[in-house]
Structures are given as C-alpha cells and as structure tokens.
Amino acid sequence: MSSKPRAVVVGAGPNGLTAAARLLKDGWDVDIYEAASTLGGAARSSTQLFADATVDLGAAGHPFGVASPAFRELKLEEHGLMWMNAPIEMAHPLDKAETAILWNSLEETAAGLGVDKKAWVRVHGHVVDGIDKHLANLLQPMLQMPPHPLHLVRFGLPALAPASLLGKALFKTEQAKALLASSAVHAITSPDRPFTAAFGILFGALGMSRGWPFAEGGTQSIVNALVSVIRANGGHIHTGINVRDLGEFGPADAIILNLTPRQVLALKGTNLPAKQVKQLNKWKYGPAAYKVDFLLNAPVPWKDSRVGQAATVHIGGSVEEISFAEREVAAGRMPKQPFVMVCQQFVADPSRGNTL
Ligand SMILES: Cc1cc2nc3c(=O)[nH]c(=O)nc-3n(C[C@H](O)[C@H](O)[C@H](O)COP(=O)(O)OP(=O)(O)OC[C@H]3O[C@@H](n4cnc5c(N)ncnc54)[C@H](O)[C@@H]3O)c2cc1C
C-alpha cells in the first residue's frame, strides 16, 4: 500500500485537473473521476461539429489562463500549451463613436481614448504594472491575509463601485466608458452592480499586460497539457464514471468536489455539516449563457477593419444599452439586443481556419 496521502477529485474540468496536477506535484496519490467520456468539462474542444474544424465547446479566450499563477507553476508550455495573441485584444464597435480598442499596451490603449488618456492610465496603470501582485491578492482564498496588502488597498477603492458609475465619473468618451463596462460584463452580471468595476479594471489590465489569448489548437490544448502533467506524475484518470456515492472510492485523505452546489447535494456520502447543506441549498444560480458557433467562408466584413484584427469583439453598444440588456437577463428575460461576446480564434491561431 502507498504511504502517500490519497486524494479523490470528482469532476475533470480545468479546475479539477489543476487541483489534481498540483496535488500530484506535492507528492499525493490522486484518482480523478469524470462522468463524461472526454476530459475538460466546459474547456473541451471538438472536431465533430463541423467538418474537421476545431470548435471550443465552452471557454475560448483566456486572459486568466495566461496569467494564472497555478498554470505557470505547472509549466504547461512544457506540455504542449502555446498561447496565441491577436494583433488587438478586444474591440468594441459603437454606433455613435469610433470603435473602442483594447491593445496589449497601456499606452496604446490610452492614446486611442482622446481626452480620457490620463484618467485611463490613472485607473489602470498601477494594476498593469503590478498585475502579478494583484492576481496573487485576488486569486487567493478570501479569508487569508493578502500577500500584497498595499496593492489591495489601492486596487480596492475604485473597484468597489459599479463599472458603469465609475466610467461615468472618470471618463468623458463613449469609448473609455464602453471598454470598462463591457470588460466588467465578463463577470456575467450587469455593470450597474457594485464591485463590477473590479472586474472591468482587472480584465482591462490583463488585456493590456498579458492579453486575452487563445490556446493554439483550441481550449482543449489547456486540458491536454494538464492531463500530460497528471500522467507524467502518476495520476489515475477514470472517465465515464458519474459519481453518485463517495463511499465507493475507499479511504481518502482529501476529496475535492469540483462540482456545482446541486451536484454536490445529489451525492451520497459527503457527510457535510447541516449548516453547509443549508448554504448549498440556498445557492442562487446565475443566468445561463447562450453560445452559437459559426463556420465562416470568409472573415466577417466588419465596418471598421480593425475589428477583424481583434481576438474578442464586444457587441453591445453604449454603456446604457449594455446595462439594460444585462438587467433584462438578470430579470430572466431575453433582451432584444443582448450583449454578445464574439471570439475570432482564427485571427490569432492559423490552425483554427475560419471558425468563430
Ligand atoms: C459557453 C461557455 C463559454 C465560456 N467562455 C469562457 C471563456 O471564454 N474564458 C474563460 O476563461 N472561461 C469561459 N467559460 C467558463 C469556463 O469554461 C469555466 O470556468 C470552467 O470550465 C470551469 O471549470 P471547472 O473545472 O470548475 O468545471 P467544469 O468545466 O464545469 O467541469 C466540471 C466537470 O465535472 C463533471 N461532473 C459533474 N458531475 C459529476 C459527477 N457526479 N461525477 C463525475 N463527474 C462529474 C462534468 O462532466 C464536468 O466535466 C465559459 C463557459 C461556458 C459554459
């Protein structure tokens, strides 16, 4: 029998695989159980939808992936992962103003924002400069002392505001307001909500430092790299097993349930305290995302040709229009003009053909 501590991971999405890889690196024995026949959860890609073209079934753009301290520690690039950046990180076309552009540079982005140049640098500059320290603060468990408290204080004050309000207070141009608000919507909530400025600033700063890249060959490449680390370190992966009872897997020193609250509640053998069960029962799920894949016979004929050079395009109009659409979604209604995020993988990665 192994003298190593043993962990069981249920759910082989990117988070479960990352946890497994890190435990293996720390000397644990790890079994991973996945219900589907393929690994990766919402980070899988498929070549089955369109003739041979790779389609990302869920996640496509990876600002947090490329900047992830956990991924860096696992050296995923040594396991085949390659990040691919487009010439422009994000473009936001506007009806009544020039397209707003997020470049992989603070200076270039600010230069495109006219009178808002200084204000843009003031709110984003310190986050871009200290991006790793900010991520270390923000990605750690919330109840621990942050490793860089001064950075957190500086980040925290403007970030408490709704992104739409902070944009109105700081900026005069539609472009700067739209860049901040639409970046905030990546939190899948209305930019009118408190704290959304934090997401807007962070996503913008990631774009201007590390970019919003794709994984070469599709998001599945991230999953494949994680699986390669797991296999190289002796992990055991079991697919096609829909776990229903934790008692089936023998003794374990740690069990990681990489699942949603309802999925956890459906499991037998969790022995969760009553208080935690009550909290999980109260969990309110957010709105769903609706995703469409297109196989193109030519690049999109955007009015502004720069939009065709962008990894991600935000289609949602002005801040007011975005806020209205997201409020409708939050109220459970389908907006007439929803906020749409378009990923153009082929602009960064020639292996992706013309799949959007
Ligand atoms: C349409 C869409 C677009 C997205 N776009 C982006 C993007 O562009 N960029 C980005 O960073 N993120 C994006 N995301 C979010 C990203 O995909 C998720 O954050 C990520 O996949 C979460 O990983 P996870 O490992 O926590 O869970 P998941 O990926 O959900 O994986 C959970 C796994 O658990 C398995 N499972 C469930 N129950 C059981 C059980 N009882 N027994 C065994 N296995 C079980 C499931 O089959 C699944 O494989 C997107 C998500 C969606 C849906």
Side-chain angles (χ1 to χ4, degrees):
M1 214 173 124
S2 166
S3 57
K4 293 177 178 180
R6 176 173 182 255
V8 166
V9 177
V10 182
N15 288 321
L17 293 171
T18 303
R22 295 195 65 178
L23 284 167
L24 284 157
K25 286 264 185 196
D26 282 351
W28 287 61
D29 193 20
V30 183
D31 280 285
I32 303 143
Y33 294 92
E34 167 55 49
S37 57
T38 52
L39 298 165
R44 284 172 300 152
S45 310
S46 169
T47 49
Q48 310 290 312
L49 257 64
F50 299 127
D52 281 345
T54 301
V55 174
D56 294 321
L57 297 178
H62 298 288
F64 274 100
V66 69
S68 158
F71 282 3
R72 198 173 321 138
E73 222 171 273
L74 293 171
K75 299 190 171 72
L76 296 187
E77 285 79 0
E78 290 175 15
H79 293 262
L81 175 62
M82 180 117 96
W83 298 111
M84 307 292 279
N85 286 79
I88 289 172
E89 303 306 331
M90 185 262 277
H92 187 125
L94 291 160
D95 286 337
K96 295 184 187 145
E98 282 246 326
T99 306
I101 305 273
L102 186 78
W103 299 90
N104 187 214
S105 145
L106 176 69
E107 293 72 24
E108 244 180 302
T109 305
L113 297 174
V115 292
D116 286 330
K117 182 175 168 179
K118 273 195 187 151
W120 184 265
V121 172
R122 203 165 55 240
V123 76
H124 290 91
H126 68 100
V127 186
V128 170
D129 291 344
I131 192 74
D132 287 327
K133 288 183 177 150
H134 285 289
L135 285 173
N137 280 339
L138 299 170
L139 298 180
Q140 68 147 17
M142 285 179 92
L143 295 178
Q144 279 180 18
M145 178 70 185
H148 308 284
L150 290 179
H151 282 73
L152 190 66
V153 170
R154 205 157 167 217
F155 181 83
L157 291 174
L160 299 177
S164 54
L165 199 71
L166 187 72
K168 267 184 213 155
L170 291 180
F171 305 132
K172 295 197 169 55
T173 63
E174 283 308 309
Q175 285 96 330
K177 291 178 200 170
L179 283 186
L180 181 68
S182 67
S183 297
V185 179
H186 282 256
I188 321 287
T189 185
S190 166
D192 287 350
R193 302 280 306 269
F195 302 111
T196 48
F199 290 98
I201 295 168
L202 189 60
F203 269 97
L206 280 168
M208 292 182 284
S209 52
R210 301 291 157 73
W212 292 11
F214 303 113
E216 187 190 33
T219 296
Q220 186 74 44
S221 307
I222 302 174
V223 173
N224 294 348
L226 287 167
V227 169
S228 169
V229 174
I230 289 168
R231 296 229 152 97
N233 287 278
H236 318 285
I237 298 177
H238 315 271
T239 52
I241 298 188
N242 189 2
V243 175
R244 291 172 201 281
D245 184 348
L246 293 180
E248 287 169 13
F249 302 117
D253 300 284
I255 297 176
I256 295 181
L257 303 176
N258 187 47
L259 305 171
T260 66
R262 269 183 223 147
Q263 290 168 333
V264 171
L265 290 169
L267 288 177
K268 280 191 195 151
T270 51
N271 297 325
L272 290 172
K275 195 174 157 204
Q276 214 168 346
V277 171
K278 201 171 157 193
Q279 279 171 342
L280 290 175
N281 265 315
K282 280 204 290 194
W283 179 260
K284 205 167 155 244
Y285 282 77
Y290 190 93
K291 180 171 176 290
V292 186
D293 300 293
F294 294 100
L295 186 66
L296 303 178
N297 58 7
V300 182
W302 301 104
K303 257 197 217 162
D304 179 341
S305 61
R306 293 175 306 165
V307 180
Q309 295 298 300
T312 300
V313 184
H314 287 166
I315 301 173
S318 66
V319 176
E320 289 72 25
E321 287 168 314
I322 298 169
S323 298
F324 178 74
E326 288 301 309
R327 279 200 304 271
E328 288 288 281
V329 171
R333 291 187 291 268
M334 183 70 193
K336 277 210 179 93
Q337 290 184 306
F339 177 76
V340 180
M341 294 175 198
V342 179
C343 283
Q344 307 189 107
Q345 288 91 330
F346 61 90
V347 176
D349 177 3
S351 81
R352 301 301 300 276
N354 282 346
T355 319
L356 270 191

